[in-house]
Amino acid sequence: FPVTISCAELPHFDVEKINDTHFVLIYHSDRRMGDFAHGLLLACLDYYQQKADIHISQLNDEGSKVRFEIIAK
């Protein structure tokens, strides 16, 4: 049976594909877990045995909006 948590505030990403090796992800979350999102991105790269540089920029003072620029090596 499905479990519904109506009070859950899930993060979301805006994704822009620059080309086949260059992506920009904008992380949005009121919980300000950009560091956790960064760790998940690193784990995905490791799991799929991919190499990439990730450049991180805080887009606001609260940390609820973070830009990840991912460039494959």
Side-chain angles (χ1 to χ4, degrees):
F1 60 92
V3 176
T4 303
I5 302 173
S6 61
C7 63
E9 295 179 23
L10 301 176
H12 72 275
F13 288 91
D14 296 327
V15 180
E16 180 183 359
K17 180 180 178 182
I18 308 300
N19 58 45
D20 287 341
T21 61
H22 188 177
F23 297 85
V24 174
L25 302 171
I26 307 294
Y27 165 85
H28 301 267
S29 176
D30 290 338
R31 294 181 183 243
R32 301 178 303 271
M33 296 179 68
D35 289 339
F36 181 71
H38 180 231
L40 289 175
L41 291 170
L42 291 172
C44 288
L45 289 170
D46 184 55
Y47 180 82
Y48 289 105
Q49 300 175 359
Q50 299 297 308
K51 303 285 186 197
D53 291 321
I54 301 177
H55 303 280
I56 304 166
S57 304
Q58 296 284 341
L59 298 181
N60 62 16
D61 291 337
E62 299 82 31
S64 62
K65 192 172 180 183
V66 181
R67 181 179 191 267
F68 298 96
E69 184 172 3
I70 304 166
I71 304 169
K73 294 182 182 181

